[in-house]
């Protein structure tokens, strides 16, 4: 039995009467008792307000409608509808329990009077959020499926039976939380149920849309003079059903759009990802049907695809570098090791290197620096060009290629930057001969040139700001361009060596 507000008010009135003629001590005790009773009644009044979904009778078996329909209310999930303590209500006594046992209750309105009728029945509050905890913060279509029977004994007796046939109006009152649902002025017509045949059994579905800001509603059934028997009422909305196809996992209770199609985020299986490493977007229709989504999830580096929906880690000593379902784990290249399972790359062993963008290549030793040709002291030129000469290194290292790069730094430039000079790798024609390279200078001044030994493993960038990138692989040249006294060239070169190497080493060591 619902404890309504008037019950609490009656207790307050009774309290005033009881206070008269009592002692102070008894009055205090009575006040404590009444306060506790008021709290209890208030709690029951708020706790017993039914709200679907989630208020179903524990004795009833919840039925799944299938076809992506998520039930918000099903009259067969309750053992009590309009009896005392039931979840529905009326504005008079015309609507009443008709027949059926627990969990199959049916209700009926039948006045069989030629006078105009206005008989209302109201459901409990229905939330568009699902009982699973899904929030419902979006626009949805609400479907109201009514299984019914008109049973007026004569079309001439019922108020609406003459000519127009029998008719019942279905209304809704949109409100986020449970309120007083009997104010019929707040209800809006959804549609009418009409049938001109006597004893006709039918099923019809009406639909309306709740916006993203609307959280719930009541349904009202208005009888204006028929014999209408409600055999089953089902309220539902469409959602996408959870499933896994390949490595793509479709979410549970995904909201279907109001019309057309929409895209919602899915998830990839463990150790799988999309190419942009964001949640893949899955197409869903207004009836909860999933679109034909292409493969969007792939095993991450270090994991190989074996079966849906599994990506298995590479064993120790193996690696897989790409995001894909086709590549398998393969043994680590020569002179490298995985360092454990699920390796995306096998790091080179100490003393070996390879190009960072070629993880499948074998690791090889780094080449040594070019050798001095005849003079490593300052090279002085009176015009804006210089020729640098050197001999091949003692060790070319591994790899399938060998070449040289030349970098230059203007000493007057405050920014420590070595810029590549040659547009293409300098490949020696004969590894046993001296190599010479002529280049232009920008202006008169002092320059530092570095000639570096390179192979397929070194991958030196075009601009060098950190000498550790070419550590042990370069031969320096110091050049002065412009009119300079030759007698002072040696002293000036020595000063340049000390100054430039001091700046470069400070950069290397982070000083």
């Amino acid at each position: 039995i619902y404890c309504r507000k008037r019950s609490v008010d009656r207790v307050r009135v009774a309290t005033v009467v009881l206070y008269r003629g009592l002692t102070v001590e008894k009055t205090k005790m009575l006040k404590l008792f009444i306060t506790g009773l008021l709290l209890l009644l208030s709690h029951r009044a708020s706790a017993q307000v039914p709200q679907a979904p989630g208020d179903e009778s524990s004795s009833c078996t919840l039925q799944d409608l299938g076809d992506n329909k998520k039930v918000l209310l099903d009259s067969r999930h309750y053992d009590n509808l309009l009896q005392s303590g039931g979840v529905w209500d009326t504005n008079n006594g015309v609507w009443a329990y008709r027949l059926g046992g627990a969990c199959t209750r049916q209700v009926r309105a039948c006045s069989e009077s030629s006078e105009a009728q206005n008989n209302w029945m109201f459901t409990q509050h229905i939330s568009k959020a699902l009982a699973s905890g899904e929030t419902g913060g979006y626009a949805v279509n609400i479907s109201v499926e009514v299984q019914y029977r008109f049973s007026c004994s004569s079309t001439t007796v019922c108020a609406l039976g003459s000519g127009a046939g029998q008719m019942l109006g279905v209304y809704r009152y949109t409100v986020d939380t449970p309120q007083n649902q009997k104010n019929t002025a707040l209800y809006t017509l959804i549609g009418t149920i009409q049938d001109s045949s006597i004893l006709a059994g039918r099923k019809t579905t009406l639909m309306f849309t709740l916006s993203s800001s609307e959280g719930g509603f009541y349904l009202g059934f208005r009888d204006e003079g028929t014999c209408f028997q409600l055999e089953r009422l089902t309220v539902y909305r469409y959602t996408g059903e959870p499933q896994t196809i390949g490595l793509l996992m479709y979410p549970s209770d995904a909201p279907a759009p109001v019309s057309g199609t929409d895209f919602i985020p899915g998830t990839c299986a463990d150790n799988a990802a999309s190419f942009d490493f964001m949640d893949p977007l899955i197409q869903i229709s207004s009836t909860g049907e999933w679109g034909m989504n292409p493969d969007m999830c792939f095993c991450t580096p270090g994991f190989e695809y074996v079966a849906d929906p599994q990506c298995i880690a590479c064993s120790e000593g193996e690696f897989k570098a790409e995001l894909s379902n086709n590549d398998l784990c393969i043994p680590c290249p020569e002179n490298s090791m995985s360092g454990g399972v699920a390796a995306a790359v096998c790091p080179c062993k100490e003393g070996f290197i390879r190009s960072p963008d070629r993880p499948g290549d074998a690791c090889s030793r780094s080449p040594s620096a070019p050798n001095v040709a005849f003079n490593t002291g300052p090279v002085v030129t009176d015009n804006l060009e210089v020729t640098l000469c050197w001999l091949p290194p003692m060790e070319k290292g591994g790899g399938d290629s060998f070449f040289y790069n030349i970098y230059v730094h203007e000493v007057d430039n405050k920014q420590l930057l070595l810029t590549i000079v040659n547009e293409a790798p300098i490949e020696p024609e004969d590894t046993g001969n001296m190599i010479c390279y002529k280049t232009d200078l920008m202006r008169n001044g002092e320059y530092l040139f570095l000639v570096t030994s390179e192979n397929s493993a070194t991958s030196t960038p075009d601009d060098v700001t950190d000498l550790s990138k070419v550590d042990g692989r370069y031969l320096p040249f110091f050049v002065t361009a412009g009119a300079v006294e030759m007698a002072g060239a040696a002293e000036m070169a020595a000063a340049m060596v000390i100054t430039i190497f001091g700046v470069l080493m400070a950069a290397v060591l982070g000083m």
Side-chain angles (χ1 to χ4, degrees):
I1 299 174
Y2 300 132
C3 296
R4 305 189 185 281
K5 183 176 182 298
R6 60 176 177 269
S7 300
V8 178
D9 292 340
R10 287 173 182 165
V11 173
R12 291 194 178 101
V13 173
T15 302
V16 175
V17 175
L18 287 171
Y19 282 166
R20 297 175 181 174
L22 296 178
T23 64
V24 174
E25 184 176 350
K26 289 182 178 181
T27 300
K28 289 181 179 180
M29 293 178 64
L30 182 59
K31 283 183 178 180
L32 290 174
F33 172 76
I34 296 300
T35 299
L37 181 60
L38 289 173
L39 291 172
L40 178 63
L41 290 174
S42 298
H43 173 73
R44 287 182 176 177
S46 60
Q48 293 182 359
V49 175
Q51 183 182 41
D55 64 342
E56 298 87 356
S57 300
S58 58
S59 58
C60 297
T61 302
L62 304 186
Q63 302 178 43
D64 185 3
L65 299 181
D67 298 327
N68 306 317
K69 298 174 181 177
K70 193 66 66 172
V71 175
L72 301 179
L73 170 68
D74 188 342
S75 60
R76 292 187 179 178
H77 293 171
Y78 300 87
D79 57 15
N80 192 352
L81 295 175
L82 279 178
Q83 301 94 312
S84 177
V87 292
W88 293 356
D89 208 345
T90 68
N91 69 335
N92 55 36
V94 175
W95 283 93
Y97 162 66
R98 167 62 178 163
L99 51 83
C103 311
T104 59
R105 303 290 187 188
Q106 299 181 19
V107 297
R108 185 188 188 201
C110 187
S111 59
E112 294 204 2
S113 171
S114 58
E115 298 180 0
Q117 301 288 308
N118 188 32
N119 308 313
W120 283 79
M121 179 183 70
F122 312 95
T123 68
Q124 75 272 50
H125 186 262
I126 305 170
S127 172
K128 74 175 181 182
L130 303 180
S132 63
E134 173 262 7
T135 59
Y138 32 75
V140 295
N141 289 330
I142 303 295
S143 297
V144 180
E145 185 177 283
V146 183
Q147 188 173 324
Y148 64 93
R149 184 179 298 274
F150 283 107
S151 57
C152 187
S153 61
S154 170
T155 56
T156 60
V157 174
C158 293
L160 296 180
S162 179
Q166 301 182 81
M167 184 170 62
L168 185 92
V170 182
Y171 295 75
R172 69 173 171 117
Y173 163 36
T174 302
V175 62
D176 291 346
T177 56
Q179 306 287 335
N180 174 20
Q181 79 271 44
K182 289 189 175 183
N183 185 354
T184 58
L186 299 176
Y187 282 76
T188 302
L189 180 67
I190 302 172
T192 57
I193 301 173
Q194 187 171 351
D195 202 311
S196 58
S197 59
I198 300 175
L199 300 178
R202 296 287 188 271
K203 182 167 69 173
T204 189
T205 301
L206 306 174
M207 189 175 70
F208 63 94
T209 300
L210 288 180
S211 71
S212 59
S213 61
E214 294 174 325
F217 57 95
Y218 288 94
L219 291 179
F221 294 83
R222 185 186 184 191
D223 163 47
E224 298 181 78
T226 68
C227 269
F228 180 86
Q229 183 169 313
L230 178 61
E231 297 179 345
R232 186 179 184 183
L233 171 64
T234 309
V235 183
Y236 60 87
R237 39 171 280 216
Y238 286 102
T239 64
E241 293 300 311
Q243 62 181 9
T244 300
I245 298 179
L247 298 175
L248 178 60
M249 303 173 68
Y250 293 69
S252 175
D253 299 335
V258 170
S259 61
T261 60
D262 198 3
F263 289 89
I264 61 172
T267 55
C268 293
D270 291 343
N271 305 311
S274 62
F275 276 120
D276 57 6
F277 286 89
M278 299 180 66
D279 288 336
L281 294 179
I282 311 171
Q283 189 179 49
I284 186 173
S285 72
S286 59
T287 55
E289 297 291 334
W290 297 114
M292 295 298 294
N293 297 291
D295 290 339
M296 291 185 284
C297 295
F298 306 89
C299 292
T300 55
F303 293 83
E304 68 177 6
Y305 177 79
V306 291
D308 297 335
Q310 290 184 326
C311 294
I312 302 299
C314 295
S315 302
E316 187 171 2
E318 296 181 333
F319 81 108
K320 173 176 165 280
E322 302 297 331
L323 178 72
S324 73
N325 290 339
N326 296 324
D327 296 333
L328 300 178
C329 299
I330 58 177
C332 291
E334 186 179 359
N335 300 317
S336 67
M337 61 184 70
S338 66
V341 299
V345 64
C346 295
C348 293
K349 296 178 180 178
E350 186 176 357
F352 294 84
I353 61 172
R354 69 160 162 249
S355 176
D357 58 354
R358 301 176 65 175
D361 286 0
C363 298
S364 59
R365 293 193 180 279
S366 174
S368 59
N371 280 310
V372 175
F374 47 84
N375 180 19
T376 57
V379 178
V380 181
T381 178
D382 290 333
N383 50 31
L384 295 180
E385 67 177 25
V386 63
T387 300
L388 306 176
C389 297
W390 64 92
L391 292 174
M394 297 297 295
E395 174 62 54
K396 293 193 303 178
D400 53 9
S401 64
F402 178 79
F403 57 94
Y404 301 98
N405 281 333
I406 299 177
Y407 296 87
V408 64
H409 168 68
E410 289 190 66
V411 176
D412 290 339
N413 189 347
K414 301 303 182 184
Q415 181 184 8
L416 181 56
L417 179 66
L418 290 159
T419 305
I420 195 165
V421 173
N422 48 294
E423 295 181 357
I426 303 171
E427 298 180 356
E429 296 180 1
D430 185 345
T431 56
N433 294 334
M434 182 173 64
I435 303 98
C436 290
Y437 187 87
K438 180 186 291 186
T439 183
D440 295 330
L441 303 175
M442 294 293 295
R443 60 185 65 83
N444 291 338
E446 300 167 348
Y447 296 85
L448 167 65
F449 285 89
L450 297 184
V451 179
T452 63
S453 300
E454 308 284 353
N455 62 19
S456 58
T458 54
S459 186
T460 305
D462 288 348
D463 296 328
V464 177
T465 58
D466 183 356
L467 281 182
S468 64
K469 300 291 185 182
V470 294
D471 187 30
R473 296 190 289 108
Y474 64 85
L475 174 67
F477 290 86
F478 300 97
V479 176
T480 300
V484 178
E485 293 292 335
M486 295 300 295
E491 291 79 3
M492 182 172 60
M496 286 179 60
V497 172
I498 296 172
T499 302
I500 295 174
F501 268 99
V503 173
L504 295 177
M505 290 305 297
V508 173
L509 299 175
M511 298 174 61

